[in-house]
Amino acid sequence: MTSTTNDTTGSAIDPTTTTAWEALEAHYLEQTTSLREWFEQDPQRAERFSRTAADLHVDLSKNLITAETMELLLDLAREVDLEGRRAAMFAGEHINTTEDRAVLHTALRRPEGAEPALEVDGQDVDADVHATLRRVYDFADKVRSGEWTGVTGKRIETVVNIGIGGSDLGPAMIYEALKPLAQEGLEARFISNIDPTDAYATTADLDPETTLVIVASKTFTTLETITNARLVREWLLGGLRDRGLDQDLEAEAVRRHFVAVSTALDKVEEFGIDPENAFGFWNWVGGRYSVDSAIGTVLATVLGPDAFEELLAGFHAMDEHFRTAPLEDNVPVLMGMLNVWNVNFQGAETHAVLPYSQYLHRFPAYLQQLTMESNGKSVRWDGSLVSYDTGEVFWGEPGTNGQHAFFQLLHQGTRLIPADFIAFATPNHPLTDGEQDVHELFLANFFAQTKALAFGKTAEEVRAEGTEGALVAAREFSGDRPTTSIMAPKLTPSVLGQLIALYEHITFVQGVVWGINSFDQWGVELGKQLAKGLAPAVAGDEQAIAAEDSSTAALIRYYREHRG
C-alpha cells in the first residue's frame, strides 16, 4: 500500500446542501420524541440499537432517535463521502490539508508484518514504527531490570514525564487508568503546567538519585516543556550537589537521568541528553493522537512493554472495526453521526462523558483536547467558512461523584446535554460492605441514572407518592435526556485502547461531516505568540507596557505592584 498525495483535498462538501441534511431537518420537525413511548411500542428497541465493537458493548437505544433517524444520518455520511475519507486516512493520503500531511496515528498500532505493507511518501511506515518501538522497549526493560541506574548507581524509582497537551494528557490519563499494573517500586509522575508550582510540587519529595526524567517535545522548543525541563534539571543537579556530586560528573548526571522523546537531536544534545536516548516520531502523528507513539515511553517503562503492546492491540482492534464494519454496525460511525444529530439538529452545545470507574478520572480531560482541539473550527478544509455549528464542549467527572455535583443540570436543567456513560462488569478491586457487593451498588447507580434521564418521572407519578401543590413540578423529571451506555468486561490495557480509538474515530466522523480539518490546531498559536511578545512588559519595561492596550497594561501594572 503506497501513498503520496490525495485527491480528497478539494472543495469541502457543505453538508447543509445535501439531500440527507434537508431530510433530517424535516424529520426533526416532524418527530414527536418520547423515549417512554418508543420503548413501550418496541420491546426490542434496546437490542435494535445496541452494537458490539471489539470488547465494547454499546447501547444507543436511549438516544433521541428512531430507525428513520439513523437511516437518514447514514445517508448524510454517504453523501459527504465518509467512507472515501476514511479510506484516504488509512492509506496515508494527505488529509491534513493545512499542513500537507498524512494522518497516520492508526499506523502506530498496526501489528508487525501487517499486510499490505504501508509506505507513505517513500517511507516504510511499518518498519519505522516497529524499529522505534523496539528501542523504547529495550530502554524500558533496562530501567525495569535495574540495568539502567542513576549517576550514583541507584536504580530508578520514579519516572517524571515532562510534556504538555498530547505529550502529557494521554500518558497521564493512561497511567492513572492502569496504575495497578505499574511495576512494584516504580512510579510515574507528570509535569505540564508552566506554573512553577507544578514542577516544584511534583519533585518536592523525590530523590534525585532515583529519578529519571523524560522530556517529551517533538521540536524540543515547546515553551512550557523546555522551561520545566530546565527547572527539573537544576533541581536534580542541585540535589546531587548537596549529596557531594563532583562538578565533573554533572554532564554525566544529565545523561543518566534525562532522556527525550523528540526528533530535534541537535537541541536534545544541546540540553545535555545523549541523542542515543532520544525516541522520535513523525509529522503524520498529531500531538493529541500520539500516546501510542514514543510519547508513551513513560508507560512502557512503568507499566511494562507487555501492557503497552496490549494497549496497542486494543487500539488496532477498534481501528479494524472502524475500517471494515458496515456503516449500519460501525460504532464510531453511529456515535459520530449521533453527535452531529445532537449538535446540528437537537441544539446540544456540550457533551458529558461519565466514566463509572475511578481509574478513568482523567478520561474526560483527555477527550477535551482530542475533541475540542480537533473539531473546534469555523473554517472548512478548503478555507471556506462554515454556516453551521461544529464541535462540542466535552466535560465530565467519574460517577458517582458527578451525581452529587452537576447531575441536577442533566436531569432538570433547560439545556439538552447528551451523555456517554462508561462502566465495567468486573471491578479492579472487589470489595464488600457487610453483605453488599460495593461494585454492584456502584453499577446500580450507573443503570439508574441512564434510566432516570431517559424516562423521567411524570407529575402523576409524583402525586402518587403523596406530593401535592407546587412541589409536584419541582419533583417532576421530563426525561428524554439522551445517553449512550458503553460497557466492557473489565478495564484492561486492551479495553482502554479500544475506548481511546473509539473516540478518535468518532471525532474523525464528525469532522468529515462538517468538512473541517480535524488534524491541525492553528487556534492555539496566537496566544502563545503574544505571550512571548509580552515578556518584556511583564518584566517591567515601561515602554513595552505603554504599547499595550489599556486593559493589558493595567493588568501588568497590577502584577508589578503586587508581586511579593
Side-chain angles (χ1 to χ4, degrees):
M1 186 192 306
T2 303
S3 178
T4 53
T5 57
N6 73 74
D7 58 1
T8 61
T9 59
S11 296
I13 297 172
D14 182 341
T16 65
T17 65
T18 63
T19 302
W21 191 282
E22 184 179 350
L24 281 163
E25 288 183 320
H27 173 66
Y28 171 72
L29 293 173
E30 295 167 356
Q31 188 181 72
T32 302
T33 300
S34 174
L35 284 169
R36 281 195 180 217
E37 290 183 10
W38 289 345
F39 272 88
E40 289 170 0
Q41 293 166 3
D42 182 7
Q44 305 304 314
R45 179 177 169 86
E47 182 179 346
R48 294 184 199 281
F49 286 101
S50 292
R51 299 290 187 275
T52 298
D55 294 312
L56 305 184
H57 171 78
V58 181
D59 182 352
L60 307 173
S61 65
K62 294 190 182 82
N63 282 281
L64 307 182
I65 53 171
T66 63
E68 183 183 1
T69 314
M70 291 310 307
E71 183 178 340
L72 292 173
L73 286 170
L74 294 181
D75 287 345
L76 176 60
R78 294 185 179 98
E79 280 199 71
V80 298
D81 194 26
L82 172 61
E83 291 160 301
R85 197 80 175 167
R86 177 185 62 186
M89 179 180 73
F90 277 96
E93 297 180 12
H94 287 204
I95 64 170
N96 180 348
T97 52
T98 62
E99 297 175 305
D100 192 22
R101 293 174 179 174
V103 175
L104 275 176
H105 47 280
T106 55
L108 297 169
R109 50 262 196 160
R110 277 167 55 95
E112 193 163 18
E115 294 292 341
L118 182 58
E119 183 179 307
V120 176
D121 301 334
Q123 173 192 3
D124 186 338
V125 170
D126 292 327
D128 287 354
V129 165
H130 285 280
T132 298
L133 278 175
R134 282 191 291 272
R135 291 187 62 231
V136 168
Y137 293 162
D138 179 61
F139 167 75
D141 285 336
K142 287 178 180 177
V143 174
R144 292 168 64 81
S145 68
E147 178 183 346
W148 181 295
T149 66
V151 70
T152 62
K154 291 185 178 181
R155 69 182 296 151
I156 300 301
E157 296 176 358
T158 307
V159 181
V160 177
N161 187 87
I162 302 178
I164 197 165
S167 299
D168 168 76
L169 283 165
M173 180 273 290
I174 292 175
Y175 175 68
E176 289 296 319
L178 302 177
K179 192 181 288 187
L181 301 180
Q183 177 173 293
E184 187 175 356
L186 190 61
E187 68 163 329
R189 294 194 184 183
F190 299 86
I191 298 173
S192 58
N193 201 335
I194 200 172
D195 180 345
T197 302
D198 197 7
Y200 172 81
T202 303
T203 59
D205 63 340
L206 294 183
D207 180 351
E209 293 186 69
T210 61
T211 299
L212 176 71
V213 182
I214 300 174
V215 184
S217 171
K218 185 189 291 187
T219 62
F220 223 72
T221 59
T222 308
L223 174 66
E224 295 91 341
T225 300
I226 302 308
T227 299
N228 279 324
R230 289 194 294 262
L231 291 176
V232 174
R233 181 178 60 184
E234 186 52 40
W235 162 82
L236 185 133
L237 291 176
L240 292 175
R241 289 187 203 110
D242 292 343
R243 301 183 186 200
L245 181 74
D246 192 287
Q247 186 174 356
D248 293 340
L249 289 176
E250 289 190 2
E252 178 63 16
V254 175
R255 287 192 290 270
R256 295 302 302 173
H257 290 269
F258 282 79
V259 300
V261 178
S262 178
T263 53
L265 297 184
D266 55 339
K267 293 182 176 64
V268 166
E269 188 170 22
E270 183 181 334
F271 183 89
I273 297 172
D274 186 343
E276 290 296 314
N277 299 325
F279 309 99
F281 52 110
W282 306 271
N283 67 8
W284 40 257
V285 182
R288 56 193 173 276
Y289 297 90
S290 65
V291 70
D292 44 352
S293 71
I295 290 294
T297 298
V298 61
L299 301 172
T301 303
V302 177
L303 305 179
D306 289 345
F308 198 74
E309 278 289 293
E310 187 183 338
L311 180 76
L312 296 182
F315 273 103
H316 182 66
M318 187 58 66
D319 292 344
E320 287 299 284
H321 171 81
F322 177 56
R323 187 178 68 86
T324 63
L327 297 190
E328 292 79 7
D329 296 318
N330 196 305
V331 172
V333 171
L334 295 174
M335 290 184 67
M337 297 309 298
L338 268 174
N339 289 353
V340 170
W341 171 245
N342 288 328
V343 169
N344 296 112
F345 299 92
Q346 300 281 349
E349 296 181 344
T350 79
H351 191 127
V353 179
L354 310 169
Y356 275 64
S357 166
Q358 186 61 30
Y359 280 128
L360 285 182
H361 70 101
R362 292 290 290 162
F363 193 56
Y366 174 79
L367 294 184
Q368 286 173 353
Q369 186 196 22
L370 172 65
T371 60
M372 293 197 282
E373 195 167 85
S374 294
N375 288 339
K377 314 283 173 66
S378 57
V379 177
R380 290 191 284 261
W381 68 64
D382 60 5
S384 59
L385 294 176
V386 304
S387 58
Y388 40 84
D389 289 333
T390 67
E392 302 158 274
V393 177
F394 267 71
W395 59 282
E397 283 286 329
T400 57
N401 292 11
Q403 294 175 200
H404 293 265
F406 50 78
F407 271 47
Q408 171 65 45
L409 181 65
L410 297 185
H411 283 285
Q412 291 184 310
T414 58
R415 294 171 174 84
L416 182 76
I417 303 175
D420 298 345
F421 284 72
I422 304 169
F424 306 97
T426 301
N428 292 85
H429 307 289
L431 298 174
T432 58
D433 176 21
E435 298 296 317
Q436 175 68 62
D437 182 315
V438 178
H439 188 64
E440 290 187 354
L441 178 62
F442 186 43
L443 289 194
N445 279 270
F446 170 88
F447 300 130
Q449 291 298 328
T450 63
K451 181 176 181 179
L453 287 163
F455 306 124
K457 193 173 189 179
T458 66
E460 290 75 17
E461 290 169 332
V462 174
R463 291 190 186 96
E465 294 176 344
T467 300
E468 300 292 343
L471 283 179
V472 172
R475 296 185 178 184
E476 185 180 352
F477 292 75
S478 67
D480 292 329
R481 309 288 176 123
T483 64
T484 294
S485 296
I486 303 171
M487 298 194 72
K490 188 176 182 179
L491 179 57
T492 64
S494 176
V495 165
L496 182 58
Q498 293 167 38
L499 278 170
I500 298 170
L502 169 64
Y503 281 93
E504 288 179 348
H505 298 319
I506 290 170
T507 302
F508 172 84
V509 169
Q510 291 174 259
V512 171
V513 174
W514 291 326
I516 57 180
N517 177 8
S518 299
F519 304 102
D520 62 10
Q521 55 278 334
W522 298 105
V524 306
E525 295 300 319
L526 179 58
K528 291 162 63 176
Q529 294 168 1
L530 292 177
K532 291 180 181 178
L534 279 166
V538 176
D541 184 325
E542 277 299 326
Q543 187 174 356
I545 294 173
E548 294 297 330
D549 65 89
S550 60
S551 172
T552 304
L555 290 168
I556 292 172
R557 288 197 172 97
Y558 178 90
Y559 158 72
R560 298 292 307 169
E561 291 168 7
H562 291 83
R563 170 67 186 259

